């Protein structure tokens, strides 16, 4: 069976598992209601939006800009087709499944087909990935566009000579990156920076420079366009209203994370200093607790270091490794209270496997021959992990978000397999030489 057929088979398996999970959780929710809280909030908001839109009523969306855009897209579908939320779920399933395929194509260019298939299979069978990408969360769409960018542009970094397909790949990657920026602006920043670094590294060594000049220029152009469009100087974003005669205009997504200060005294604040980060975390954690108590009548039990204070950059630096470990691998048996909760035990088993894979990837990365395209995967992972360590406040959301960036280190396991095969071949080669 060819590589493409194997990859299509894995993508089909991923799609079947996620579609099955979508259907199962609709009739038999397997977790408490708060596991579906954000998905249901967006779906219900989109429906109320579409319903009022059709009736000509005014309806305000009190969501952050990226969520407003997300709700608007779903509401536009509902406005035309009615409340067919299963169709929306299955669209998310399809997007995340195709995303697995797109990431594998990027990996095959940088690491080889064997590791591409192995990584795709890991993602396809990853339980949390299956669950979250089967619900109405943005994560599946983010993966589709982010992995689409990598799938289009990583081959360009590996290309020895320009080809006729370069223009199409550049255009597809640019479009994917631009849409990605409207959904999660920080992912656009991270991915663009990693691709730019790799492009310039390739430029320094490449004899054929035209392809890579264009790639670097395309990334810079997109970043400038998005920076201009998002208006990061503005402290406030307008609220959409729905009227009978017109549809709402999209609202830009802030490129930097922000939170509204208490009582609105100073508008919005961003975590740009140790003191600002402390206050940002405090306000965000408190807001999450109030929302959980008011909307779902529950207390959050998985917040990450809610009393942490940062008085200096050194405090921030010390915090990053500690919370990165929590964000990536907690809960783990014996290191985190399980409290008899099924979800935590299942997550603990899954995290044990992920920790083993990550350790193997670290060893592999230390042995691997580096290329610009391979550095994109590591740089993206490191930037996302550091950002998550500072701005993830709850294990639930951390577990969902890491499904995007943790798989980027799995291909480095290939170096272990290669070094082992070389070690096994050495005695044979030695005997042949001696004979």
């Amino acid at each position: 069976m060819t590589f493409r057929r194997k990859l299509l088979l894995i993508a089909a398996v991923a799609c079947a598992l996620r579609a099955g999970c979508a259907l199962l959780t609709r009739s038999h929710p397997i977790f408490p209601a708060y596991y579906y809280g954000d998905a249901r909030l967006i779906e219900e908001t989109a429906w109320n939006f579409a319903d009022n839109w059709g009736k000509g009523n005014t309806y305000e969306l009190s969501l952050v800009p990226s969520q407003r855009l997300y709700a608007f897209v779903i509401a536009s579908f509902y406005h035309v087709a009615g409340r067919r939320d299963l169709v929306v779920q299955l669209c998310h399933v399809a997007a995340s499944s195709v995303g697995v395929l797109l990431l594998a194509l990027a990996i095959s260019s940088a690491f080889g087909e064997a590791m591409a298939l192995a990584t795709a299979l890991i993602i396809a069978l990853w339980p949390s990935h299956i669950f979250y990408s089967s619900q109405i969360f943005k994560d599946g769409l983010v993966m589709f566009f982010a992995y689409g960018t990598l799938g289009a542009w990583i081959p360009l970094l590996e290309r020895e000579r320009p080809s006729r397909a370069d223009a199409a790949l550049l255009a597809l990657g640019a479009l994917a990156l631009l849409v990605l920026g409207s959904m999660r602006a920080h992912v656009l920043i991270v991915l663009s920076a990693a691709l730019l670094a790799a492009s310039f590294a390739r430029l320094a060594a490449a004899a054929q420079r035209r392809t890579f000049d264009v790639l670097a220029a395309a990334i810079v152009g997109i970043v400038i366009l998005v920076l201009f469009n998002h208006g990061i100087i503005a402290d406030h974003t307008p609220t959409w209203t729905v009227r009978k005669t017109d549809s709402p205009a999209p609202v830009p997504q802030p490129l930097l994370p922000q939170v509204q200060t208490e009582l609105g005294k100073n508008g919005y604040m961003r975590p740009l200093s140790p003191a600002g980060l402390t206050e940002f975390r405090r306000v965000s954690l408190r807001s999450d607790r109030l929302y959980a108590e008011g909307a779902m009548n529950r207390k959050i039990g998985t917040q990450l270091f809610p009393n942490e204070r940062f008085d200096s950059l050194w405090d921030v630096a010390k915090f990053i490794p500690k919370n990165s470990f929590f964000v990536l691998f907690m809960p783990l048996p014996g290191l985190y209270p399980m409290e008899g909760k099924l979800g935590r035990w299942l997550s603990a088993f899954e995290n044990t496997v992920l920790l083993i894979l990550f350790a193997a990837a670290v060893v592999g990365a230390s042995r691997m021959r580096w290329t610009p395209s391979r550095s994109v995967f590591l740089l993206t992972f490191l930037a996302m992990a550091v950002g998550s360590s500072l701005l993830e406040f709850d294990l639930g959301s951390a577990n969902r978000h890491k499904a995007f960036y943790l798989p980027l280190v799995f291909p480095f396991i290939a170096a272990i397999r290669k070094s082992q095969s070389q070690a096994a071949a050495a005695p044979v080669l030695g005997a042949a030489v001696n004979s």
Side-chain angles (χ1 to χ4, degrees):
M1 187 181 295
T2 65
F3 167 71
R4 290 186 178 181
R5 289 186 177 181
K6 290 178 181 178
L7 191 54
L8 287 172
L9 178 60
I10 292 173
V13 169
C15 188
L17 290 173
R18 285 152 180 76
C21 185
L23 295 172
L24 173 65
T25 53
R26 288 175 67 87
S27 57
H28 298 84
I30 54 180
F31 295 116
Y34 58 82
Y35 277 69
Y36 310 87
D38 289 346
R40 288 176 176 169
L41 172 64
I42 286 294
E43 196 281 327
E44 290 172 1
T45 299
W47 170 244
N48 290 331
F49 188 1
D51 187 42
N52 282 275
W53 187 354
K55 295 176 181 177
N57 299 329
T58 297
Y59 183 74
E60 294 187 352
L61 287 177
S62 57
L63 299 171
V64 299
S66 61
Q67 289 176 325
R68 296 181 202 175
L69 180 61
Y70 183 40
F72 170 64
V73 172
I74 298 173
S76 298
F77 171 76
Y78 285 169
H79 184 64
V80 174
R83 192 175 187 176
R84 302 180 184 276
D85 54 322
L86 177 58
V87 176
V88 175
Q89 265 189 275
L90 294 179
C91 287
H92 285 70
V93 165
S96 62
S97 302
V98 175
V100 174
L101 187 151
L102 294 172
L103 178 61
L105 291 175
I107 293 172
S108 67
S109 296
F111 296 90
E113 294 181 354
M115 206 58 227
L117 292 172
T119 302
L121 187 60
I122 291 170
I123 300 174
L125 303 179
W126 186 344
S128 288
H129 200 291
I130 292 171
F131 173 74
Y132 287 121
S133 58
S134 69
Q135 309 300 312
I136 303 178
F137 290 114
K138 283 192 301 182
D139 301 87
L141 301 178
V142 168
M143 292 176 201
F144 174 80
F145 290 109
Y147 295 162
T149 301
L150 293 175
W153 282 356
I154 290 295
L156 298 179
L157 292 171
E158 289 292 324
R159 192 101 71 210
E160 291 298 328
R161 294 182 179 179
S163 73
R164 293 180 180 179
D166 288 353
L169 290 174
L170 282 167
L172 289 172
L175 179 61
L177 194 61
L178 196 57
V179 176
L180 176 66
S182 68
M183 301 178 68
R184 285 199 178 141
H186 65 279
V187 180
L188 174 140
I189 295 173
V190 168
L191 207 55
S192 297
L195 285 163
L196 274 174
S199 298
F200 291 136
R202 186 69 175 87
L203 277 169
Q208 298 286 343
R209 298 195 172 194
R210 187 179 63 187
T211 298
F212 311 106
D213 283 331
V214 176
L215 173 57
I219 298 172
V220 172
I222 289 171
V223 172
I224 291 173
L225 175 63
V226 173
L227 284 169
F228 177 79
N229 181 58
H230 283 60
I232 60 175
I233 298 176
D235 289 327
H236 300 278
T237 54
T239 302
W240 286 353
T241 56
V242 179
R243 296 181 178 84
K244 186 174 183 179
T245 56
D246 58 355
S247 62
V251 177
Q253 161 73 354
L255 283 171
L256 297 176
Q258 61 184 28
V259 65
Q260 189 167 19
T261 55
E262 292 175 339
L263 303 178
K265 291 180 180 179
N266 300 309
Y268 289 87
M269 62 170 295
R270 299 185 175 99
L272 301 179
S273 67
L277 180 59
T278 300
E279 183 67 7
F280 184 93
R281 288 177 55 85
R282 187 188 70 80
V283 172
S284 298
L285 287 160
R286 181 174 181 273
S287 176
D288 289 348
R289 289 195 297 270
L290 291 175
Y291 173 75
E293 291 171 4
M296 291 175 278
N297 193 28
R298 76 178 188 93
K299 291 186 176 181
I300 300 177
T302 54
Q303 287 195 328
L304 294 164
F305 305 104
N307 299 318
E308 196 76 24
R309 287 185 56 85
F310 306 107
D311 297 319
S312 66
L313 291 176
W314 175 239
D315 290 338
V316 176
K318 289 188 297 182
F319 180 72
I320 289 173
K322 176 178 69 174
N323 205 38
S324 292
F325 185 79
F326 270 75
V327 164
L328 288 169
F329 304 116
M330 286 296 178
L332 284 172
L335 298 178
Y336 196 90
M338 297 292 110
E339 298 180 358
K341 296 182 178 180
L342 175 62
R344 290 192 189 180
W345 278 109
L346 292 174
S347 185
F349 172 77
E350 176 183 282
N351 284 330
T352 302
V353 176
L354 293 175
L355 181 58
I356 294 171
L357 291 172
F358 180 79
V362 170
V363 175
S366 68
R367 300 177 180 178
M368 181 165 283
R369 182 179 65 84
W370 286 94
T371 65
S373 59
R374 290 174 179 176
S375 70
V376 172
F377 292 84
L378 185 62
L379 290 173
T380 302
F381 167 77
L382 290 175
M384 291 297 300
V386 169
S388 296
S389 71
L390 297 175
L391 300 174
E392 288 283 11
F393 311 119
D394 183 83
L395 274 184
S397 60
N399 191 45
R400 175 158 58 92
H401 295 153
K402 76 182 181 185
F404 156 63
Y405 63 91
L406 183 56
L408 299 179
V409 300
F410 294 161
F412 292 97
I413 299 173
I416 295 179
R417 183 178 59 83
K418 185 177 293 186
S419 62
Q420 288 175 342
S421 63
Q422 290 172 347
V428 177
L429 291 173
V433 171
N434 292 332
S435 63

